[in-house]
Amino acid sequence: MRLHTLHVKARLAATLLVAAGLALAVGGPLAAGSAPVRLVGVSAQGHQLTVEASEPVAYVVTRPDPLTVVLELRNVSVGAAQSVLDRRDPIAAVSLEQAAPVDGMSLARVRVTLARPYEAAVRSARNTIRLDLTAVSRSLAPPAPLPVTAAPAAM
């Protein structure tokens, strides 16, 4: 019975070693310090901006003001990424920035400046992030302030 227990423990140890090797091969937690993903390019067509990386990436979207959308891509290097814009778009400008590393990982920023306020919806699939812009309808705009009128004094 003791020999059987040793066989079970040996198989368990071998299984754990294989699992650890697979985790390293597919970029598991031990591979956190791996080389950053490359930002391949940014293109705009119509009311859509597409950001493409060499691999799927984690990202955060912020709106610092109504005319700016910022996509921050974690563990991504801007490198020689290209930006292609159609000047008739609602997008006034796009800038690619390599930000200071966060937690030891590089951070790429895609800063989108809009010609006028637009609603932005972000979707991603695999290694592509898509920013869809929709014109802000007048019904969603804040109402004009009401004129101030003085109330008659009570007697």
Side-chain angles (χ1 to χ4, degrees):
M1 179 138 99
R2 189 166 196 209
L3 184 60
H4 176 64
T5 305
L6 288 175
H7 264 36
V8 170
K9 286 182 180 181
R11 275 193 253 159
L12 179 61
T15 304
L16 289 174
L17 286 173
V18 170
L22 287 174
L24 284 173
V26 296
L30 297 177
S34 62
V37 174
R38 288 179 304 102
L39 183 64
V40 175
V42 178
S43 61
Q45 186 175 23
H47 286 77
Q48 186 177 79
L49 179 95
T50 304
V51 177
E52 186 177 356
S54 59
E55 298 175 30
V57 297
Y59 64 91
V60 174
V61 180
T62 57
R63 295 288 305 257
D65 61 66
L67 296 178
T68 307
V69 179
V70 177
L71 282 87
E72 292 186 337
L73 312 171
R74 186 178 171 96
N75 198 29
V76 174
S77 172
V78 172
Q82 297 293 318
S83 178
V84 179
L85 294 177
D86 178 358
R87 292 294 172 198
R88 295 172 299 184
D89 289 347
I91 299 169
V94 174
S95 65
L96 307 177
E97 308 164 6
Q98 190 68 57
V102 177
D103 297 333
M105 299 182 122
S106 54
L107 184 70
R109 277 197 190 104
V110 178
R111 185 177 304 274
V112 182
T113 304
L114 304 173
R116 61 181 186 270
Y118 280 85
E119 292 179 33
V122 181
R123 298 172 210 201
S124 64
R126 300 184 194 258
N127 60 335
T128 303
I129 302 168
R130 194 174 80 196
L131 176 70
D132 292 318
L133 301 169
T134 308
V136 177
S137 69
R138 295 209 184 264
S139 63
L140 296 177
L146 296 174
V148 177
T149 57
M155 296 210 183

